[in-house]
Amino acid sequence: MLDDMRVLRGAVREYRVAATAAGLDWPDAGESPAGPPPDRVRRIFDVDHVADQMAWLQSQRWPDARLLPNGGWRMPWPDGGDALDYLGLSIGTPFPWRQQLPLFHFDFLLYTFVLAGEHEGEIWRYPVGEDAWESVRAASSLAVLFDQWTRGIAAGVVRYDEANKWLLVEDVEGVPGLDPLAFPVTPVDETLLHARQRECGASPVADDEGFEHQERLLDAIDGAKATLGR
């Protein structure tokens, strides 16, 4: 879903305050007005608009640092069609694979923002560089995601790691009020994963079928990139 802008601003602000209180170096640069997304973004992801919520988030002057749990970072607006390569494991989604923007990178996980349709505004997560078919919704919106991370800090399961200079996620399973799938951790409990997939409309893929699905998706990505290159 798409957040009310006041709710989103508040959720991001509260996360930054909690993260800095925990020890993260994240000076307050103030809020920047939302600028329009580059025209190429709509063409790359085959959509007719980009939500104001995404335009606002990308306009904020964040330090070039790992500000998100487990050393994650915000990805910039894409430069070209190669951004579609990030979507090579988005198998079984209940929306067109292309209509999502790679947004947060956590080395081993990718979070995307759904750009269109009834799932617009949702955050989905995919493994990076693994033969794992775990497409699933991480959060129903950006504000919900940031709120979960803030709650994790308050609960003491997201803490500052002095050695790496980023926020480290510890065991969030069973902590009241926390959704483990909102946090960039693997592996995911299979019972929880499959229940969430059913809830959000994802189609689970059997291990012996995953490579076939991925090959078709990679062919589609190559075709889309070829079209963009014309």
Side-chain angles (χ1 to χ4, degrees):
M1 68 179 181
L2 292 174
D3 298 301
D4 179 275
M5 288 301 302
R6 290 175 298 177
V7 174
L8 176 58
R9 291 186 182 102
V12 173
R13 180 173 58 251
E14 289 171 9
Y15 171 71
R16 190 198 68 80
V17 169
T20 55
L24 194 68
D25 183 15
W26 188 353
D28 184 4
E31 182 178 331
S32 300
D39 290 340
R40 64 180 180 273
V41 173
R42 293 190 295 274
R43 185 163 181 257
I44 291 169
F45 299 103
D46 194 28
V47 294
D48 60 12
H49 73 283
V50 175
D52 292 343
Q53 290 79 358
M54 178 52 51
W56 176 83
L57 186 70
Q58 291 287 41
S59 297
Q60 301 315 297
R61 295 172 295 169
W62 289 7
D64 184 16
R66 293 175 176 250
L67 303 176
L68 309 179
N70 271 351
W73 64 93
R74 181 187 62 181
M75 302 172 71
W77 290 121
D79 288 328
D82 286 346
L84 296 176
D85 290 334
Y86 285 108
L87 306 179
L89 283 169
S90 55
I91 296 168
T93 60
F95 50 84
W97 66 267
R98 189 173 172 181
Q99 294 181 346
Q100 54 185 325
L101 175 78
L103 180 58
F104 298 141
H105 203 298
F106 300 93
D107 287 331
F108 52 88
L109 281 173
L110 175 74
Y111 281 27
T112 70
F113 179 93
V114 182
L115 292 166
E118 63 181 28
H119 294 273
E120 184 178 13
E122 293 181 356
I123 309 301
W124 280 63
R125 53 179 279 168
Y126 309 97
V128 173
E130 296 182 16
D131 299 329
W133 327 115
E134 297 179 353
S135 301
V136 70
R137 189 183 66 204
S140 58
S141 74
L142 278 167
V144 170
L145 184 68
F146 278 101
D147 180 67
Q148 280 288 303
W149 293 345
T150 302
R151 290 171 182 262
I153 295 171
V157 294
V158 178
R159 63 172 181 81
Y160 183 66
D161 181 62
E162 186 65 42
N164 290 308
K165 308 297 184 185
W166 67 49
L167 296 174
L168 182 68
V169 181
E170 298 180 331
D171 188 8
V172 298
E173 293 281 350
V175 179
L178 296 188
D179 176 4
L181 287 171
F183 294 84
V185 293
T186 57
V188 176
D189 177 78
E190 287 194 5
T191 300
L192 173 63
L193 173 67
H194 294 157
R196 177 64 55 79
Q197 287 177 326
R198 289 192 297 271
E199 175 189 327
C200 65
S203 301
V205 176
D207 288 344
D208 59 350
E209 298 175 352
F211 288 107
E212 181 180 348
H213 284 273
Q214 187 181 25
E215 285 184 7
R216 289 200 296 267
L217 176 56
L218 294 178
D219 286 343
I221 290 173
D222 287 342
K225 289 170 62 178
T227 300
L228 290 169
R230 293 173 186 168

